[in-house]
Amino acid sequence: MLELSKLRVPVIAIVIGEGSSGGALALGVGNKVFMLENAIYSILSPEGYASILWKDASRAKEAAEKMKLTAEDLYQLRIIDKIIKEPKGDIEESFEKVAKSLKKEISGTIEKMKNMSPDEIVEERYQKFRNMGEYSIL
């Protein structure tokens, strides 16, 4: 994560299925993080969370709700930057539509960032990471 955070080029991460564990942490360091609307993204599986918190993996559904791992939840918490809609219907047709949406988002992001200096790219990434989520001091 440290090395990724210091890269002087744009980093665009895309969560397309189940992003979890240490890999999920690394994705969060990207300048932009996009997520398919039906994907999930967390540092731990709901079963693992339930096992740790309640010593009962069968409470995974309850854990998933508390974990805020859906695209909508993560967008509201400013963990991800964009939700990529997934059309319903034929798998091949849906795949092509999602691929086109991703291509458009990636191209647009690169276009917006191409005039940024390496220092600006690193600083943007740092500020994004610092402003994620919500917290309070007790």
Side-chain angles (χ1 to χ4, degrees):
M1 285 177 52
L2 178 62
E3 293 303 315
L4 187 61
S5 70
K6 294 189 292 185
L7 289 178
R8 297 173 59 77
V9 295
V11 175
I12 302 169
I14 304 165
V15 180
I16 61 170
E18 291 187 32
S20 62
S21 194
L25 289 172
L27 292 178
V29 179
N31 290 82
K32 300 294 178 194
V33 179
F34 304 144
M35 187 171 168
L36 297 185
E37 72 177 316
N38 295 310
I40 60 170
Y41 176 40
S42 67
I43 59 163
L44 184 63
S45 71
E47 293 81 8
Y49 182 92
S51 292
I52 292 168
L53 192 61
W54 301 301
K55 309 283 189 257
D56 183 358
S58 69
R59 293 177 69 180
K61 185 175 182 338
E62 182 182 355
E65 291 170 6
K66 290 188 177 299
M67 292 173 71
K68 305 290 185 198
L69 44 66
T70 68
E72 188 60 41
D73 289 333
L74 296 170
Y75 182 77
Q76 289 177 7
L77 291 168
R78 296 183 310 225
I79 304 296
I80 66 167
D81 300 290
K82 181 96 176 175
I83 298 171
I84 306 297
K85 296 291 181 194
E86 294 181 77
K88 300 198 182 336
D90 179 58
I91 292 173
E92 273 189 50
E93 187 179 315
S94 295
F95 177 80
E96 287 182 29
K97 287 180 180 178
V98 169
K100 285 180 184 177
S101 292
L102 286 171
K103 181 179 179 180
K104 179 182 172 190
E105 291 300 330
I106 293 167
S107 297
T109 300
I110 291 170
E111 185 66 30
K112 288 176 189 170
M113 297 183 81
K114 74 179 185 181
N115 294 321
M116 293 173 71
S117 73
D119 288 338
E120 290 171 326
I121 290 168
V122 172
E123 181 63 21
E124 179 193 73
R125 189 179 308 123
Y126 174 76
Q127 290 303 325
K128 177 185 182 286
F129 196 75
R130 295 279 298 159
N131 290 309
M132 280 184 185
E134 297 179 18
Y135 65 94
S136 62
I137 299 173
L138 301 175

